[in-house]
Amino acid sequence: MSIQSSLRSIIYQTEKLTQRLRFASQPANLPTLLGISFPKSGTHLLDQILLGFSNVAPFSKRLHSFYAEYEGESGRKRNPEQALAWLDSLRPCDIASAHLFARPEAITRVISPRFVPYFIFRDPRDVVVSHVFYITDMEARHVHHNYYQSLPDFDSRLKVSILGRPDFRPEPSRRVEFPNIAARFEPYLDWLNHPEVMAIHFEDLIHARAATLTRIMERLLVRAPLPATRQLILNSLETSINPTKSPTFRSGKTGEWKKHFTDEHKKIFKNVAGDLLVKLGYEKDGDW
């Protein structure tokens, strides 16, 4: 472990102890709050909301850690065992965040009493638009940044975000996975089949925030009753939201894909996505 990592761990544990003392009358074995997200679907927004619980209970005041199935700079895919080791490293009162595939072994851990899990996702059409802005303008270290910068315009970049780069090899001996949008979502779909995992549409946090925050609160209270009033808890969740601290929360709007999709984009999206939008509740059929 590096000096920086050691220092970060010391600070984190010190803060957890402070929280333990602050809320000494509450149980110390509250479950881990786990925010699972599909990339570009409100990860930071959900993180902020879950951290709001630290104002009313002995949860950590910052994320324990963030886990992603792919390394951002290299694009390398992590081994399934790394995800399991990460889940096993989490402790009571931690709050953690992940782009986590719904593999059977991970599901078994996440739906156990150790966790209160939430899964946030977004209209995949808005996801691919957000992906273009993020890779092109915001994350210069990303493995696909230079390629996106080399493309002539937004339309061509959007096609890549829909179709992926299935044959991308940054080195002759190494292939980096970047499949189409439906294939990228597929490893997450099984989270929707487990009622222990609360599904959250990103759009509901924009258009029906009060009701959605209430659902988030109630999901925890079923498992861990807190002495604070419901109104105080809701206020804590609401005031924890700060879009200026979210690097990918550009406009707080939904349906932005309508401004960017041409008829060609619609066609290729429908070809690769199949019934994905129907499964996620964004369309009733393919006629959009």
Side-chain angles (χ1 to χ4, degrees), residues 19-20 23-31 57-59 92-93 223-227:
Q19 283 289 91
R20 177 69 258 142
F23 297 99
S25 63
Q26 296 189 30
N29 61 343
L30 297 175
F59 287 103
C93 293
R223 291 277 308 282
L226 303 178

Side-chain angles (χ1 to χ4, degrees), residues 61-251:
K61 293 182 70 66
R62 68 178 72 195
L63 290 181
H64 172 278
S65 52
F66 173 77
Y67 180 83
E69 296 284 358
Y70 296 93
E71 297 176 2
E73 293 185 32
S74 69
R76 287 186 175 89
K77 188 176 184 179
R78 292 189 167 96
N79 295 323
E81 292 75 16
Q82 290 177 271
L84 300 181
W86 178 76
L87 287 169
D88 291 341
S89 74
L90 301 174
R91 295 292 178 262
C93 293
D94 282 341
I95 300 176
S97 178
H99 298 326
L100 184 67
F101 289 168
R103 299 186 183 95
E105 298 86 353
I107 291 172
T108 298
R109 282 165 168 78
V110 167
I111 66 174
S112 74
R114 290 181 53 217
F115 294 94
V116 174
Y118 302 85
F119 173 46
I120 190 169
F121 55 95
R122 184 183 191 181
D123 187 324
R125 294 164 294 193
D126 278 334
V127 167
V128 292
V129 170
S130 178
H131 185 264
V132 173
F133 284 111
Y134 179 70
I135 300 301
T136 308
D137 302 328
M138 302 175 67
E139 187 47 83
R141 297 174 298 174
H142 196 281
V143 67
H144 298 296
H145 172 74
N146 290 337
Y147 178 69
Y148 271 60
Q149 286 268 319
S150 74
L151 295 174
D153 52 33
F154 188 93
D155 284 359
S156 58
R157 294 170 187 140
L158 184 54
K159 290 176 186 176
V160 176
S161 287
I162 296 171
L163 296 171
R165 298 178 69 190
D167 299 319
F168 175 51
R169 292 182 180 273
E171 304 164 9
S173 61
R174 184 167 69 90
R175 176 177 171 269
V176 170
E177 285 189 8
F178 183 38
N180 67 56
I181 182 59
R184 298 203 299 274
F185 208 107
E186 193 278 333
Y188 293 85
L189 280 174
D190 203 22
W191 292 124
L192 300 175
N193 297 324
H194 298 275
E196 298 88 347
V197 182
M198 178 179 162
I200 303 170
H201 287 81
F202 168 82
E203 294 79 7
D204 287 342
L205 284 171
I206 305 300
H207 302 298
R209 180 173 294 175
T212 307
L213 292 179
T214 299
R215 289 177 56 227
I216 291 171
M217 174 188 68
E218 295 294 349
R219 177 55 62 101
L220 172 61
L221 294 181
V222 167
R223 291 277 308 282
L226 303 178
T229 66
R230 278 170 163 73
Q231 190 57 56
L232 179 59
I233 297 172
L234 286 175
N235 290 344
S236 297
L237 302 187
E238 176 70 43
T239 57
S240 69
I241 297 173
N242 185 353
T244 64
K245 291 187 177 181
S246 174
T248 56
F249 193 88
R250 293 183 303 107
S251 64

